[in-house]
């Protein structure tokens, strides 16, 4: 289903959903410590979301078993939290979270380094992947086309010679976790579907220190880089305005 223009009540619910989501991600960012398990983070997220009054739309989505995705190092996205997966000093930990409130869904992600970074390259990967998200958001306005967004993200990531994961893209969001259209992190200006005021989309660049080739693990969910290179993932849900974007999941 193509993402719909949201009315005032729907946008109000999405803003509250996004506020909750941002609050949970900020808490997780503070709590990440080497020695924790990825399941520890999911437990914190579930407890905090319940306290805030939201629901976790990831849990049970197409069979996904948790409220939070936690992906580490060469895991790009959709890592399943596990009591067996220990976070080590210097790991890149990507957190992807969704919140549903009054039937409206927001989606956001960030990557953080646990403890002290092992390499300046890891610090820069996070910095510039997030920067590519922000240039993508800056491109948004009433009448923007998906190729306009993809082009500026691609240029920013190419500037740093990162692998741009092409098998995974942004998307419409709101009534469902994933709505049309896809929002690729690459593209050409003046191509792709046109988006209009009060539509809501999730923009989410994923970049690697190697190639863009990925594969899905035996668990059926976790997406990893084929060359073992480490990855970063940043995402915001935004509402399209007359001359820009409202970042609904702003932290």
């Amino acid at each position: 289903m193509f993402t719909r223009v949201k009315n005032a009540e729907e946008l109000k619910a999405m803003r509250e959903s996004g506020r909750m989501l941002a609050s949970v991600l900020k808490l997780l960012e503070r709590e990440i410590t080497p020695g924790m398990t990825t399941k520890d983070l999911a437990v914190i997220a579930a407890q905090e979301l319940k306290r805030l009054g939201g629901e976790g739309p990831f849990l049970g989505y197409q069979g996904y078993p948790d409220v939070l995705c936690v992906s580490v190092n060469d895991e790009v996205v959709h890592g399943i939290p596990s009591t067996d997966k220990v976070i080590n000093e210097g790991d890149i930990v990507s957190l992807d979270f969704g919140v549903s409130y009054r039937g409206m869904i927001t989606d956001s992600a960030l990557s953080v380094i646990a403890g002290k970074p092992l390499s300046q390259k890891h610090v820069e990967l996070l910095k510039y992947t997030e920067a590519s998200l922000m240039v993508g958001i800056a491109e948004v306005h009433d009448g923007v086309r998906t190729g306009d967004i993809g082009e500026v993200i691609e240029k920013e990531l190419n500037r740093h010679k990162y692998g741009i994961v092409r098998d995974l893209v942004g998307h419409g969001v709101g009534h469902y976790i994933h709505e049309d259209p896809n929002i690729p992190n690459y593209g050409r200006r003046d191509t792709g579907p046109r988006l209009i005021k009060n539509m809501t989309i999730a923009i989410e660049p994923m970049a690697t220190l190697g190639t863009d080739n990925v594969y899905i693990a035996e668990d059926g969910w976790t997406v990893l880089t084929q060359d073992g290179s480490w990855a970063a993932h940043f995402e915001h849900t935004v509402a399209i305005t007359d001359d820009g974007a409202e970042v609904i999941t702003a932290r």
Side-chain angles (χ1 to χ4, degrees), residues 199-248:
M199 286 182 174
T200 48
I201 58 174
I203 302 173
E204 52 176 326
M206 288 158 263
T208 80
L209 288 172
T211 72
D212 65 337
N213 297 319
V214 295
Y215 71 97
I216 298 175
E218 290 183 2
D219 62 20
W221 282 99
T222 309
V223 178
L224 300 99
T225 61
Q226 283 192 355
D227 60 6
S229 60
W230 287 19
H233 176 207
F234 286 86
E235 177 183 20
H236 274 308
T237 293
V238 304
I240 297 164
T241 65
D242 284 324
D243 56 358
E246 175 188 352
V247 182
I248 293 177

Side-chain angles (χ1 to χ4, degrees), residues 1-4 6 14 57-64 69 77-78 96-100 103-109 167-185 200-204 206 221 223 233 235-237:
M1 185 189 81
F2 203 95
T3 192
R4 302 204 297 262
K6 310 306 187 294
M14 288 190 73
F58 288 6
L59 180 62
Y61 178 72
Q62 297 184 353
Y64 188 75
C69 298
V77 286
H78 302 160
D96 191 355
F97 193 52
V99 172
S100 178
M104 301 304 294
I105 295 169
T106 54
D107 190 3
S108 185
D167 292 351
L168 301 157
V169 295
H171 51 88
V173 66
H175 296 93
Y176 302 94
I177 296 175
H178 288 104
E179 301 171 347
D180 291 332
N182 287 338
I183 316 290
N185 300 303
T200 48
I201 58 174
I203 302 173
E204 52 176 326
M206 288 158 263
W221 282 99
V223 178
H233 176 207
E235 177 183 20
H236 274 308
T237 293

Side-chain angles (χ1 to χ4, degrees), residues 76-89:
V76 183
V77 286
H78 302 160
I80 299 173
S82 170
T83 56
D84 296 326
K85 183 83 171 183
V86 177
I87 296 168
N88 296 311
E89 187 84 23

Side-chain angles (χ1 to χ4, degrees), residues 13-251:
M14 288 190 73
R15 290 185 185 104
E16 183 60 20
S17 171
R19 185 193 66 78
M20 293 179 190
L21 200 163
S23 178
V24 172
L25 283 185
K26 284 193 292 186
L27 174 62
L28 295 176
E29 187 176 18
R30 293 194 302 269
E31 291 292 323
I32 288 177
T33 307
M36 297 179 75
T37 69
T38 56
K39 182 64 176 178
D40 291 334
L41 294 171
V43 169
I44 293 170
Q47 291 175 341
E48 181 65 7
L49 183 59
K50 182 178 180 181
R51 186 187 72 80
L52 292 171
E55 297 179 347
F58 288 6
L59 180 62
Y61 178 72
Q62 297 184 353
Y64 188 75
D66 217 312
V67 298
L68 176 73
C69 298
V70 187
S71 307
V72 181
N73 299 337
D74 62 337
E75 298 172 349
V76 183
V77 286
H78 302 160
I80 299 173
S82 170
T83 56
D84 296 326
K85 183 83 171 183
V86 177
I87 296 168
N88 296 311
E89 187 84 23
D91 281 350
I92 294 177
V93 183
S94 296
L95 306 167
D96 191 355
F97 193 52
V99 172
S100 178
Y101 178 73
R102 294 186 179 175
M104 301 304 294
I105 295 169
T106 54
D107 190 3
S108 185
L110 60 81
S111 297
V112 299
I113 295 174
K116 295 181 180 179
L118 300 180
S119 169
Q120 182 62 25
K121 287 184 177 180
H122 297 164
V123 175
E124 292 173 354
L125 175 65
L126 270 60
K127 176 181 177 180
Y128 295 126
T129 303
E130 185 172 22
S132 76
L133 169 61
M134 300 317 292
V135 299
I137 292 172
E139 191 67 24
V140 172
H141 57 83
D142 184 30
V144 71
R145 299 181 72 167
T146 57
D148 303 345
I149 301 169
E151 182 184 76
V152 296
I153 293 173
E154 181 178 14
K155 284 182 177 179
E156 176 65 20
L157 293 176
N158 280 342
R159 209 160 59 85
H160 304 286
K161 297 181 170 59
Y162 293 148
I164 303 170
V165 178
R166 291 172 178 261
D167 292 351
L168 301 157
V169 295
H171 51 88
V173 66
H175 296 93
Y176 302 94
I177 296 175
H178 288 104
E179 301 171 347
D180 291 332
N182 287 338
I183 316 290
N185 300 303
Y186 54 89
R188 290 182 297 110
R189 187 165 298 279
D190 297 323
T191 65
R194 193 175 299 279
L195 303 169
I196 61 175
K197 181 180 177 180
N198 292 341
M199 286 182 174
T200 48
I201 58 174
I203 302 173
E204 52 176 326
M206 288 158 263
T208 80
L209 288 172
T211 72
D212 65 337
N213 297 319
V214 295
Y215 71 97
I216 298 175
E218 290 183 2
D219 62 20
W221 282 99
T222 309
V223 178
L224 300 99
T225 61
Q226 283 192 355
D227 60 6
S229 60
W230 287 19
H233 176 207
F234 286 86
E235 177 183 20
H236 274 308
T237 293
V238 304
I240 297 164
T241 65
D242 284 324
D243 56 358
E246 175 188 352
V247 182
I248 293 177
T249 52
R251 292 182 292 275

